[in-house]
Amino acid sequence: AVQAAAGEAGAAGARDDWSGETVVAGTGSLDLLLDLPPAAGEAVRRSGDLTAMWGAAQECHRQTRAWIEQGWGRESLLLFSCGWEFMNMNRVVELGAQDRTTLGRAYSAGVSNVGRFAHATAHGDLTLERLHFGISQSVSSPAISTSAATVGGTLCLTVSYPTPIWSDAAADEYADGLVRLLELAAADGEAGSRG
């Protein structure tokens, strides 16, 4: 629950759970800004040269570490919570979806990464082997999104996209390109760890 950061009444952070324990998860956001040339992923896949990709990964790591170290994770969660408490966020989303210039898709791509699944994966006769999820595409979203979770060392990816903005064929090409890029990165990482 959002109460994870709440503490006891009157203590620092006690106001954090504005939902009265009715919300089971909180969310915030971290936007990474990268200056990538057009078709950067395609160029890497075609050439096999991962120098630019690893440079972009290092920059993402640097930005994420700075965000965490400066305490923005908690602030992001609180800002998002305030938005839901004090603003009509559903109306904000609805108005964004009506924008004729973006069709509710104000940014091109998004990644939602929950990281490693940190819970038990076996319950009685049932075992969780994979976890796939996606962000809503119904009203407003990135033009295409990739959701990621790791369960038992397996990376699970889900690509979500709105039609007709993306055709099934174009989304398949995007997903295939992503898999190819990850295969190249894994092979490069294995070669680097051996060398």
Side-chain angles (χ1 to χ4, degrees):
V2 174
Q3 181 178 333
E8 296 179 19
R15 180 68 179 99
D16 292 358
D17 185 14
W18 59 266
S19 72
E21 297 185 34
T22 60
V23 176
V24 296
T27 186
S29 174
L30 166 61
D31 295 332
L32 300 175
L33 303 175
L34 300 172
D35 187 14
L36 299 174
E42 182 181 336
V44 169
R45 288 188 305 274
R46 203 175 322 113
S47 71
D49 181 3
L50 300 177
T51 305
M53 189 212 66
W54 290 126
Q58 287 174 333
E59 178 58 19
C60 289
H61 182 261
R62 186 195 67 74
Q63 289 182 31
T64 302
R65 294 282 1 133
W67 185 78
I68 291 168
E69 290 166 4
Q70 293 171 10
W72 290 111
R74 180 179 184 277
E75 297 301 320
S76 177
L77 174 63
L78 293 175
L79 179 62
F80 198 84
S81 296
C82 286
W84 280 107
E85 184 177 9
F86 299 117
M87 296 174 59
N88 183 352
M89 288 296 287
N90 287 329
R91 181 69 177 141
V92 170
V93 170
E94 180 184 343
L95 289 172
Q98 293 173 7
D99 184 335
R100 292 182 191 273
T101 60
T102 66
L103 301 175
R105 309 303 188 254
Y107 52 105
S108 59
V111 175
S112 182
N113 183 0
V114 300
R116 290 186 186 102
F117 187 77
H119 306 284
T121 56
H123 298 280
D125 294 341
L126 300 175
T127 301
L128 177 70
E129 296 177 355
R130 291 182 180 86
L131 174 66
H132 291 273
F133 73 98
I135 63 172
S136 172
Q137 295 286 321
S138 62
V139 178
S140 177
S141 68
I144 195 161
S145 66
T146 303
S147 302
T150 301
V151 177
T154 299
L155 176 62
C156 304
L157 300 173
T158 304
V159 173
S160 304
Y161 57 96
T163 57
I165 295 172
W166 280 75
S167 67
D168 290 341
D172 285 345
E173 184 178 340
Y174 172 87
D176 291 344
L178 177 60
V179 168
R180 176 69 183 130
L181 188 59
L182 291 171
E183 289 170 343
L184 286 169
D188 189 58
E190 290 173 5
S193 65
R194 287 192 305 264

